[in-house]
Amino acid sequence: MLAKIISTNNSKTRILIRLIVGAVFLSEGIQKFLFPALRGAGRFEKIGLPSPEFLGSFVGAFEIICGLLLLIGLFSRLASIPLIVIMLVALAITKSEVYLEEGLWELLHESRTDWAMLLGSFFLLIEGSGGYSFDKMIIRNGR
């Protein structure tokens, strides 16, 4: 089971996707703790989510942990799953209002980073970490 989760090939370019997706999630997670009124609990309360203090910290912690895992390429497939869920929820909750109030083009503009992070996370879920990763080192040392 572990072998299937960490399986990857020698692609050296996957690190580019891991770096951007991991860095953005890491940064956003840290900001939920540094600026809770703006990015964490305050934002969650503003959009009407229940238990905003808990959710802000919960989501922030997952963004930090999974972002770090992606950056180093350890269990990238598993780390991508919570990030996909976070992005799907973010798109559904925060961007539906933009669409209803301002239309399609504003929605597309406002959600461009969300789509990039969602698709980057899906890519890593499907393809794995690539050559420059701890997953690849584990595979190499296991043989």
Side-chain angles (χ1 to χ4, degrees), residues 36-99:
L38 203 60
R39 305 267 187 263
R43 182 162 186 244
F44 284 36
E45 183 176 26
K46 181 181 174 186
I47 59 177
L49 293 175
S51 305
E53 293 81 18
F54 170 76
L55 278 177
S57 297
F58 184 75
V59 170
F62 265 95
E63 289 176 338
I64 291 168
I65 292 165
C66 294
L68 284 170
L69 288 171
L70 291 183
L71 284 172
I72 64 172
L74 180 62
F75 304 122
S76 293
R77 284 192 167 98
L78 286 178
S80 297
I81 295 169
L83 300 177
I84 290 167
V85 172
I86 289 168
M87 293 317 305
L88 289 172
V89 171
L91 280 163
I93 292 175
T94 64
K95 299 307 187 267
S96 59
E97 188 176 312
V98 173
Y99 175 69

Side-chain angles (χ1 to χ4, degrees), residues 94-113:
T94 64
K95 299 307 187 267
S96 59
E97 188 176 312
V98 173
Y99 175 69
L100 293 173
E101 292 178 6
E102 301 180 45
L104 177 65
W105 292 111
E106 190 61 25
L107 167 71
L108 294 174
H109 173 72
E110 289 291 322
S111 64
R112 65 193 182 279
T113 303

